[in-house]
Every structure is written in structure tokens, then in C-alpha cells.
Amino acid sequence: MNPDLAAADKAFLWHPFTQMRDWCAPENDPVVLVEGRGCTLTDIQGRTYLDGNSSIWTNIHGHSHPRIVRAIQNQAAKLAHSSFLGFTNGPAVRLAEKLVGLFPPQTLTRVFYTDDGSTAVEVALKMAVQYWQLAGRPGKCRFTAFENAYHGDTAGAASLGGIGVFHDRFAPLNFPVLRVDSLAALEALDAPTISELAGVVIEPLIQGAAGMRLWPQGMLRELRKWCDRNEVLLILDEVMTGFGRTGKMFACEHEGVVPEFIALAKGLSGGTMPLAATLTTEKIFAAFLGDYAEMKTLFYGHSYCGNPLGCAAALASLEVFEEEKTLAALQPKIRFLGELLHELASEPHVGDIRQCGLIAGIDVVENKRTPHPWQAQTGAKICAAAREHGLLTRPIRDTLVLMPPLCVTEDELSRAVEALRSGIRSVCGT
Ligand SMILES: *Cc1c(COP(=O)(O)O)cnc(C)c1O
């Protein structure tokens, strides 16, 4: 890469989730991305790569989709940002209407905007706690979350997290969460404990950062019933699963479930602008209405809530879903990916493979039963090797992640899986 850029990056930057000593080491040659078209990213040296993880799970219709680019350009020329505290703007209003329309009528009817997945979850927690206070049940102020859950990195969202290496260190900052590993564990809770619960938070169908772990089929539907029986609010974190990734617009549709809260972010703007939305029901919303002096107001917000650029991009992304019939076009790709993964499973160093829609997690192992020692960073080495074969992705420990933009072609899927196969063979031997 351009040596000036590399040197300046290493001199001035601190990258997320990155051991910076490795990053700054002379032998690390960072990829500087300069352009994206469809599923292809180009670096500063003109090398091209397939975007194998949708740029950290965000991109939906491919990079630089003309419709989304135009929407952002047009909006930027008119109004890039204005306050959402006391004012409103067209794109934010129209997007809210569209989002509500993606759910069954009269279910999720109110939209609260934030900036990212963490804050979309965080505001749901605050809404849930305040809701129960306003409903005269202030004792319902605790949350249940699942083992290995990931809901973001701000302190509130991280309190829900159940991944030891990410979350344990910050335990002194976190509020206590009742952690369960399964629906059965939840069902085993005693009545006094349940009576303190404001809500239960879950990544429906598949836990992403846990390593693409699938919930048993039907679990979400049963969880919904449990919440109804026990007066506990259901908070779905669809930050990763939203916007077609699982084969339907939202993961909860697979089991016909509607939550009290749904958190949307990553793919909301098609993967172009930081934007998030938390949707809730009219019942929750109505509890916050009253005279100002009653102090029922939700005192929560961010400077960039309802950002017109992000909302314009999100509107354009939803239009592309309609125009290109993205969800219908996805079904054969999901089947094709399944076939490719089935073939990959015969590699001696591939263990379990999990697929949910266009999301795949591929475990790499020493042999079919034994995992690699985590310190060996085998997954990271394989992804570095796959990069040489034209694929960019990032593992979760020794789980390789493949979740390309939804516009991916069968040819690109084949090339992506081939690059992973080559990476696995070059790192682990055949
Ligand atoms: C990425 C992610 C988050 C956090 O979103 P950010 O935009 O990174 O704050 C929360 N929940 C899930 C399921 C995610 O995948």
C-alpha cells in the first residue's frame, strides 16, 4: 500500500477489536480500500476482493448501488442533518412509515432512531424499564439475556453480552443480568425472579458473534409464549439478522413472532450510513403519554437521531428490495450456498458448518473432533490466506464467516467458498 498512509495509520489510529501491536508491526501491510462496486472491493494497489462478510455484516445490495448513491447525494445537497429534538424531516418520517409497514398491521407502530446497533438495543432497555415504572410496576427492572449473546459494546448493551473474552473485563461497569443458556433454563426460573423481569433480549434464530450458533427451530415461538404467560417484554436484536440476511426480511418472520421491541441497525441503510431504529408497539408508546409535569417523557436521544442522509439511504435500500425483488432472488442463492457448504464439509479440517439464509459459520478444526488451540489464531490465518485468493472476511475465533451482500451471484459464491477452501488447505494442510 501507499507507505505514507500505512505509516500514518500506524502512527495515529487505534482500530476496533484489534491487537494494535500486531497491527503496527512492520510486517503488517494493511489493506486500504478505496472503492466498492457490487460485491467487489478494490484496494489502493488495484487488487480486487469479494466482500465475504458484507463489510462487517452491513452491506445489503452491494457497494455503491446507484439508487442509494443518488439518494444520499440528493439529500446531502438539500439537508445533511438537522436536530430531531423538536424538529422533524421528510426522509425520517417516510422511512418510519415504511419500516412500520414491514410488520403485520397494528403491531410495531412506533420508530425511535439512533445511530448503531448498540444504541438501538440500549434504548429498548430504557424504554422497557420506564414502561414498567409507568405501568406501576417499578420492581420489573431486570433483564434476561442468553449465554454467548452479543448485543453491542456500549455499557448497557454490553451488560447483556455473554461472551467472556469481550465482556468479562468490563463486569464492574455492567448492570447485573440474569443469564440463561436455553429456553428450558428460562422456564425453570421461579416466580419471584420472573416477577422482577422487565424483558428478555435475544438474537432470534442465530447468535452472530457467538460464532453463528443456531437456536433450535421453534424456540423463538416458544419464547414468545413464555413472555406472554409471564408478562415479560420480548426484545429482539435483529441488528445482524434484519433486512433479508436470513432469507426473510426479518428473522422473527420465520416463526411468526412479533416482539415488543425490535432493534435494527447494520443493514438498515443498506450498509452505507450509520443509522439504527428501534420499533415498539402502540401499547408501550402510549404509556409514555401524559402532561409534561407527570414526567413520563423518555429522556433519551443522540445528536444524530433521525439523520436525513441515513434515512434517505435506508429508504432507497428498501426501494431496491422492491424493485430488484431481492428476497425472491435470494432463495436459489441460499440453496446454492448450502450445496457449496455441503461439499466443503468433506475437507478434513472443517468441522461443523451452520447456515441460516445467506449467513454461514464454518468451524475449522485440527481434525474432525479436536479444535485448534485458540491462541494459534487459525481462523485469522485462514482469512489472511483467503485474502490472497481474493476474499475478504473476518473469523470469529476459529469460525469462518461467510455472509456476502444479498446481491451476490452464484459465481461469486463459488469463488468465495473456493477461496476459503484454498485458505484452509494452505494453513492446515490437506
Ligand atoms: C453488530 C451487532 C450489534 C452492535 O451493533 P453496532 O452497530 O456495532 O453497535 C448488536 N447486536 C448484534 C446482534 C450485532 O450483530
Side-chain angles (χ1 to χ4, degrees):
M1 77 177 256
N2 182 328
D4 292 348
L5 269 183
D9 179 295
K10 291 178 181 184
F12 296 115
L13 283 169
W14 190 340
H15 287 263
F17 282 88
T18 301
Q19 174 43 258
M20 288 303 290
R21 194 172 77 178
D22 293 343
W23 177 270
C24 294
E27 61 271 21
N28 179 42
D29 185 14
V31 176
V32 182
L33 296 168
V34 293
E35 203 174 285
R37 288 276 180 281
C39 292
T40 303
L41 291 164
T42 305
D43 75 9
I44 200 163
Q45 295 172 346
R47 291 177 297 203
T48 58
Y49 310 89
L50 283 174
D51 187 353
N53 73 344
S54 298
S55 296
I56 205 72
W57 316 353
T58 58
N59 194 282
I60 300 289
H61 304 295
H63 293 273
S64 305
H65 191 290
R67 180 150 200 140
I68 304 179
V69 170
R70 227 180 307 125
I72 295 171
Q73 285 173 335
N74 289 344
Q75 188 56 44
K78 280 192 234 155
L79 176 68
H81 187 60
S82 62
S83 173
F84 219 51
L85 286 67
F87 305 96
T88 193
N89 67 74
V93 176
R94 283 186 284 119
L95 176 61
E97 197 175 359
K98 270 262 188 206
L99 288 174
V100 165
L102 296 176
F103 295 91
Q106 306 306 318
T107 56
L108 296 166
T109 53
R110 291 284 166 177
V111 178
F112 192 99
Y113 289 119
T114 57
D115 309 337
D116 51 54
S118 306
T119 50
V121 170
E122 194 119 355
V123 71
L125 301 179
K126 295 198 174 179
M127 286 173 171
V129 164
Q130 186 169 341
Y131 169 77
W132 287 117
Q133 289 172 1
L134 297 173
R137 308 199 32 204
K140 286 177 80 65
C141 59
R142 299 187 64 196
F143 291 93
T144 298
F146 287 88
E147 211 64 69
N148 297 306
Y150 179 79
H151 298 292
D153 287 332
T154 57
S159 298
L160 302 168
I163 301 177
V165 288
F166 296 169
H167 300 121
D168 286 355
R169 183 180 299 282
F170 300 114
L173 290 183
N174 295 350
F175 61 76
V177 161
L178 187 69
R179 195 163 306 288
V180 293
D181 63 359
S182 63
L183 184 63
L186 197 60
E187 286 168 339
L189 295 177
D190 58 23
T193 306
I194 293 172
S195 71
E196 290 176 2
L197 289 179
V200 49
V201 189
I202 186 172
E203 298 156 82
L205 259 54
I206 177 169
Q207 290 185 314
M212 304 304 165
R213 293 199 201 188
L214 305 174
W215 289 114
Q217 210 182 345
M219 183 273 200
L220 190 62
R221 195 177 307 128
E222 291 307 312
L223 179 62
R224 173 72 273 182
K225 287 187 199 157
W226 183 89
C227 287
D228 288 339
R229 280 199 304 277
N230 293 287
E231 294 187 286
V232 174
L233 305 175
L234 179 59
I235 302 171
L236 295 187
D237 176 350
E238 292 229 26
V239 171
M240 177 186 79
T241 52
F243 302 100
R245 211 62 85 174
T246 67
K248 292 187 186 284
M249 196 55 134
F250 300 107
C252 58
E253 292 173 33
H254 289 271
E255 303 204 0
V257 163
V258 178
E260 273 76 28
F261 298 96
I262 190 165
L264 306 173
K266 291 191 170 99
L268 171 58
S269 65
T272 59
M273 306 280 300
L275 179 75
T278 304
L279 276 73
T280 190
T281 64
E282 208 62 19
K283 182 177 173 191
I284 301 281
F285 173 77
F288 290 70
L289 304 179
D291 278 342
Y292 183 75
E294 288 180 88
M295 282 287 118
K296 291 182 171 181
T297 307
L298 177 71
F299 289 108
Y300 183 98
H302 295 285
S303 322
Y304 282 96
C305 278
N307 174 251
L309 284 179
C311 292
L315 272 168
S317 172
L318 292 177
E319 283 162 16
V320 175
F321 267 103
E322 289 168 18
E323 262 174 27
E324 299 185 359
K325 305 198 170 22
T326 305
L327 293 178
L330 205 53
Q331 305 314 317
K333 299 179 195 179
I334 291 170
R335 281 194 296 276
F336 186 66
L337 175 61
E339 290 163 20
L340 293 173
L341 294 173
H342 184 74
E343 287 167 26
L344 188 68
S346 62
E347 292 288 314
H349 297 286
V350 168
D352 193 30
I353 296 182
R354 297 167 297 283
Q355 184 190 0
C356 179
L358 213 56
I359 305 171
I362 300 149
D363 292 346
V364 285
V365 291
E366 217 149 71
N367 60 48
K368 283 291 172 194
R369 270 176 305 281
T370 326
H372 293 282
W374 64 268
Q375 297 90 337
Q377 295 186 278
T378 309
K381 286 177 188 156
I382 292 170
C383 289
R387 191 214 278 185
E388 302 303 316
H389 296 276
L391 178 75
L392 291 187
T393 187
R394 184 181 170 88
I396 300 165
R397 292 168 296 278
D398 287 341
T399 300
L400 309 179
V401 172
L402 187 60
M403 51 183 300
L406 307 189
C407 66
V408 70
T409 63
E410 292 196 354
D411 176 56
E412 286 169 330
L413 281 172
S414 299
R415 279 160 47 208
V417 173
E418 262 333 287
L420 286 179
R421 188 194 308 276
S422 304
I424 292 166
R425 286 184 177 175
S426 68
V427 171
C428 304
T430 44

